[in-house]
Amino acid sequence: MSYGEALRYQRELRGYSQAGLSKMTKISQQMISYWEADKGLPNIDFCVRLADFYGITVDELIGRII
């Protein structure tokens, strides 16, 4: 599983749209879409913010533990 697939998996597992996640986390929808399409990687600050929002570890967020 790629990082983008792992990010999408965690978002969809919780039933969030990209727009909804963007609103709740204050991360732009464009960035979320960019990461999920494997066009780039979020920096560690964004990874921590998303992991904290989901209540999981960064390892789980990026697909190292599922």
Side-chain angles (χ1 to χ4, degrees):
M1 177 181 297
S2 71
Y3 291 132
E5 290 170 334
L7 293 171
R8 185 177 332 108
Y9 171 81
Q10 292 295 339
R11 176 179 58 77
E12 290 177 346
L13 181 66
R14 291 157 178 81
Y16 297 129
S17 66
Q18 287 182 351
L21 180 62
S22 174
K23 245 183 169 176
M24 291 181 279
T25 61
K26 308 282 192 248
I27 298 171
S28 76
Q29 182 178 353
Q30 292 81 6
M31 289 306 302
I32 294 167
S33 175
Y34 185 77
W35 298 331
E36 288 185 3
D38 284 319
K39 293 182 179 177
L41 297 172
N43 68 32
I44 192 65
D45 293 330
F46 286 117
C47 287
V48 169
R49 188 187 312 179
L50 286 170
D52 286 349
F53 176 77
Y54 292 143
I56 60 176
T57 67
V58 172
D59 278 344
E60 289 171 301
L61 178 72
I62 62 170
R64 289 185 51 144
I65 302 171
I66 293 187

